[in-house]
Amino acid sequence: MAVVASAPGKVLMTGGYLILERPNAGLILSTNARFFAVVKPLYDEIKPDSWAWAWTDVKLTSPQLSRESLYKLALKNLALQCCSSSESRNPFVEQAVQYTVATAYATLDKNKKEFLHKLLLQGLDITILGSNEFYSYRNQIEARGLPLTPEALAALPPFTSITFNTGESNGENCRPEVAKTGLGSSAAMTTAVVAALLHYLGVVNLSSAKDQHQEKKDATDLDVVHMIAQTAHCIAQGKVGSGFDVSSAVYGSHRYVRFSPEVISSAQVAAKGLPLQEVIIDILKGKWDHERTKFSLPPLMTLLLGEPGTGGSSTPSMVGAVKKWQKSDPQKSLETWRKLSEANSSLEVQLNMLSKLAEEQWDAYKCTIENCSRLKSHKWLEQASEPKQDAVVKALLGARDAMLGIRYHMRLMGEAAGVPIEPESQTQLLDATMNMEGILLAGVPGAGGFDAVFAVTLGDSGSNVTKMWSSLNVLALLVREDPCGVSLESGDPRISGVTSAVSSVHIE
């Protein structure tokens, strides 16, 4: 019986750099771009002599990269050994397998352990698939002579293979040249694999997306997925990041404050040889002090993402440069961080206010958003004909001002640290976007750089943005906010033909 789990990619709307340090918060939106993990037994039958086996087989398939890796998993110490070429290794999935199997051994009672042992002897067959939105298909679209539009993206088949380097002629050691869109594919992939395996091995009982609006009966199960996915992801990366990308892959959109890195220190030691099952108990009992508060975009607002095609930026090196600047000029950097933090909080307050106004006075809210969606922001106040509408417009303008403040301080920080957090080319693009009718916000997500830009649009104003972006060689992606976190899927997404984009994006 196959288990399929999926986890969403993310957009960090506010909190770039600051989110690395407690108690700074970030606002993360989870998206309709999802990573899928399909787990099923490798063999139908268990051979009679299997009780004596010390190893079991694990097969990992990644169809989009045309890769298959074979592993042996030691049933005693849970070491994973790769039997394929080192080219095809995937450290994120390797750590996910080791940590989830160790979790099953450490937490299941005696009766279930026999079942677990049998399941493992049947081998693990794992397939990973990422929605097209995680990857850049700009080169393929240009090679086909098509315009850079969302329609051209939507015409690609689901789970399209990722372009290979064309430079190498012998085809043998063709390494995929994977250009990504910055949605956190490694975190979504790790989370999907951890969730699918934990469910398959009987450690947690996850619900499908359809059931998620019911009372959160499975909150503790999600917490287990979160702890294991964070740990596996950090070990695979070789460093403890802020963890916001894994957190949104598990829980969906929210406001996040990072956990103290010490909580997974035993796992870092384990990388040097402690038995995994002891480590797991430490991790599950650890003091996970991250904070998660409900947050998603107010109604009638749409998240848009654009890919400028100027080549990606290396987040780790940009973070390194900012940290270096913090050390070299503590006074100035503290001041900048304080102002940035205030602007982030202010944006959060205004967006929460808009959600509240939508709830309390829907008609006035809806009417105001529709009116503003057709006007540039300097005309918004003129059309508010009554106090209720006036309150909505004031919150909209407050959110815009906060975003302009965030961008200003991010630019200052980039200049001081000598890294392009909001490069000049992005500044021109974002200014032009914010000056259009019906645009609430525009900015660079996460650590900034050349990777992507985002906009939040009111009502139906988004189609104008995609046209304007297209004329400037910016490809509007099919990514939207979807506040749902990790969930079970009813079948293999390739059979049901889901690609998040086509099913949920209405193209004008």
Side-chain angles (χ1 to χ4, degrees):
M1 181 56 195
V3 165
V4 187
S6 71
K10 54 69 192 164
V11 173
L12 182 63
M13 199 164 71
T14 72
Y17 300 96
L18 278 73
I19 202 170
L20 289 164
E21 292 177 14
R22 293 172 56 83
N24 295 313
L27 297 179
I28 336 164
L29 303 178
S30 55
T31 67
N32 57 356
R34 295 182 84 84
F35 235 96
F36 297 83
V38 183
V39 177
K40 55 183 201 265
L42 197 49
Y43 310 116
D44 296 336
E45 299 286 304
I46 303 180
K47 306 212 171 76
D49 60 347
S50 64
W51 58 269
W53 293 357
W55 299 82
T56 186
D57 297 322
V58 177
K59 183 171 101 174
L60 169 65
T61 314
S62 179
Q64 285 156 300
L65 294 169
S66 316
R67 278 184 185 173
E68 191 176 284
S69 323
L70 295 168
Y71 296 93
K72 292 274 184 202
L73 176 68
L75 294 173
K76 191 159 185 203
N77 63 356
L78 308 182
L80 197 61
Q81 223 170 351
C82 187
C83 317
S84 323
S85 73
S86 58
E87 294 289 286
S88 64
R89 291 188 60 173
N90 183 325
F92 293 98
V93 177
E94 289 170 21
Q95 296 298 338
V97 169
Q98 285 174 288
Y99 276 98
T100 45
V101 175
T103 305
Y105 271 113
T107 57
L108 292 176
D109 61 33
K110 214 168 169 171
N111 306 339
K112 286 189 178 157
K113 277 210 178 106
E114 244 168 72
F115 169 70
L116 169 68
H117 195 62
K118 278 188 183 146
L119 264 188
L120 290 175
L121 288 174
Q122 281 182 277
L124 295 170
D125 181 349
I126 303 168
T127 304
I128 49 173
L129 298 154
S131 296
N132 290 349
E133 292 77 27
F134 283 103
Y135 304 106
S136 169
Y137 292 96
R138 173 185 279 265
N139 296 349
Q140 283 179 347
I141 289 174
E142 286 175 340
R144 291 178 189 184
L146 295 170
L148 286 174
T149 60
E151 287 82 350
L153 274 179
L156 293 170
F159 312 113
T160 294
S161 81
I162 299 152
T163 44
F164 278 74
N165 267 330
T166 40
E168 297 178 64
S169 52
N170 60 358
E172 276 300 293
N173 47 8
C174 241
R175 281 192 74 98
E177 181 189 74
V178 180
K180 299 186 179 175
T181 51
L183 293 175
S185 53
S186 66
M189 173 174 67
T190 306
T191 303
V193 172
V194 165
L197 278 169
L198 286 174
H199 189 91
Y200 178 77
L201 299 173
V203 179
V204 300
N205 188 10
L206 296 177
S207 58
S208 66
K210 293 186 272 304
D211 310 329
Q212 291 206 352
H213 54 265
Q214 295 165 2
E215 205 36 57
K216 280 272 182 269
K217 62 174 186 335
D218 54 356
T220 49
D221 283 346
L222 286 180
D223 293 343
V224 173
V225 173
H226 177 251
M227 291 183 271
I228 302 306
Q230 285 287 14
T231 307
H233 192 252
C234 288
I235 299 298
Q237 261 186 331
K239 67 177 184 24
V240 183
S242 69
F244 75 86
D245 44 3
V246 172
S247 188
S248 61
V250 175
Y251 299 110
S253 298
H254 59 278
R255 173 189 188 270
Y256 174 80
V257 176
R258 70 158 307 154
F259 56 86
S260 304
E262 302 81 63
V263 71
I264 55 177
S265 55
S266 58
Q268 292 168 288
V269 175
K272 306 184 179 75
L274 246 184
L276 261 192
Q277 291 170 31
E278 290 176 31
V279 174
I280 288 292
I281 290 166
D282 259 12
I283 284 163
L284 295 173
K285 288 186 175 160
K287 186 176 182 299
W288 286 85
D289 51 1
H290 57 285
E291 289 166 34
R292 190 165 47 84
T293 322
K294 198 171 142 63
F295 176 81
S296 60
L297 283 180
L300 307 181
M301 294 187 190
T302 305
L303 171 72
L304 291 184
L305 269 183
E307 186 199 322
T310 27
S313 305
S314 163
T315 302
S317 56
M318 288 173 62
V319 170
V322 168
K323 285 187 160 168
K324 200 169 144 190
W325 161 68
Q326 282 180 284
K327 281 201 181 86
S328 68
D329 192 348
Q331 206 171 350
K332 179 85 194 292
S333 63
L334 262 176
E335 183 63 7
T336 304
W337 275 46
R338 188 179 60 76
K339 288 182 172 152
L340 193 48
S341 177
E342 280 169 11
N344 285 341
S345 301
S346 166
L347 178 58
E348 188 188 335
V349 166
Q350 301 297 344
L351 291 173
N352 285 335
M353 169 62 79
L354 286 160
S355 291
K356 190 168 168 245
L357 290 168
E359 216 171 287
E360 290 170 1
Q361 43 203 43
W362 173 249
D363 293 342
Y365 175 85
K366 182 171 181 263
C367 170
T368 311
I369 299 290
E370 281 170 2
N371 290 341
C372 293
S373 73
R374 294 186 281 270
L375 299 168
K376 293 190 176 188
S377 60
H378 62 87
K379 294 214 160 120
W380 288 354
L381 261 178
E382 295 167 18
Q383 59 76 46
S385 53
E386 46 150 24
K388 282 180 178 174
Q389 293 182 352
D390 200 46
V392 176
V393 172
K394 283 193 169 135
L396 290 172
L397 292 171
R400 267 182 79 89
D401 284 348
M403 189 73 220
L404 290 168
I406 291 170
R407 285 182 50 205
Y408 173 73
H409 294 297
M410 288 285 259
R411 277 198 304 275
L412 283 186
M413 183 160 76
E415 284 158 22
V419 284
I421 292 177
E422 188 186 293
E424 178 58 33
S425 59
Q426 303 283 60
T427 299
Q428 290 171 3
L429 172 65
L430 295 171
D431 288 348
T433 305
M434 279 187 83
N435 285 331
M436 293 181 72
E437 293 84 5
I439 303 303
L440 181 64
L441 314 170
V444 285
F450 295 97
D451 281 355
V453 289
F454 76 87
V456 174
T457 65
L458 304 178
D460 297 326
S461 59
S463 53
N464 302 334
V465 179
T466 56
K467 287 192 192 93
M468 189 271 275
W469 281 358
S470 188
S471 72
L472 296 172
N473 202 31
V474 175
L475 175 57
L477 303 175
L478 297 163
V479 175
R480 299 290 181 266
E481 184 196 15
D482 174 4
C484 171
V486 73
S487 73
L488 277 190
E489 299 290 332
S490 50
D492 187 317
R494 289 165 298 183
I495 299 163
S496 47
V498 323
T499 173
S500 51
V502 181
S503 62
S504 64
V505 175
H506 170 65
I507 291 171
E508 297 300 323

